[in-house]
């Protein structure tokens, strides 16, 4: 089913109908996503850049962009090691089928 798509659609301002609860769900999702990406960055310390890939990131760019987005606030919210994350470039891969392409290459 497309429950996630329905929530994401109704969470956007200007959507008909707009749902405040859906917007809160998407903000919570973006915060959790950003927090986990931040943990991965601390685990690997990819000073050359960390690439966020998959179908969720390109579909929800508005939640990931900007220093004050829920994603970025959670990404940097790591206490005393937050300054280390400032030196990790973060990139979003816009191709949603990159996993399939990699599997095809290896097969």
């Amino acid at each position: 089913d497309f429950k996630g798509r329905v929530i994401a659609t109704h969470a956007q301002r200007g959507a008909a109908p707009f749902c405040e609860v859906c917007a809160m769900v998407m903000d919570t999702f973006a915060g959790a996503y950003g927090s986990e990406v931040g943990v991965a960055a601390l685990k690997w310390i990819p000073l050359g850049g960390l690439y966020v890939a998959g179908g969720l990131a390109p579909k929800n760019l508005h939640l990931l962009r900007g220093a004050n987005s829920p994603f970025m606030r959670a990404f940097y919210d790591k206490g005393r090691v937050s300054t280390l994350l400032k030196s990790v470039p973060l990139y979003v891969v816009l191709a949603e089928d990159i996993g399939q392409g990699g599997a095809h290459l290896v097969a």
Side-chain angles (χ1 to χ4, degrees), residues 29-88:
F29 158 74
Y33 195 21
S35 182
E36 286 301 312
V37 171
V39 168
L42 288 174
K43 183 177 181 180
W44 298 312
I45 311 175
L47 298 178
L50 181 64
Y51 292 80
V52 180
L56 293 174
K59 292 175 185 161
N60 297 290
L61 276 177
H62 64 284
L63 295 171
L64 280 61
R65 285 188 174 155
N68 202 28
S69 70
F71 180 91
M72 293 306 292
R73 284 195 315 263
F75 177 79
Y76 289 123
D77 187 21
K78 300 293 179 264
R80 65 179 182 245
V81 293
S82 293
T83 54
L84 176 62
L85 291 178
K86 300 284 185 190
S87 60
V88 174

Side-chain angles (χ1 to χ4, degrees), residues 6-25:
V6 170
I7 291 170
T9 300
H10 293 292
Q12 295 179 12
R13 300 235 180 252
F18 171 73
C19 175
E20 187 67 36
V21 174
C22 292
M24 290 171 37
V25 166

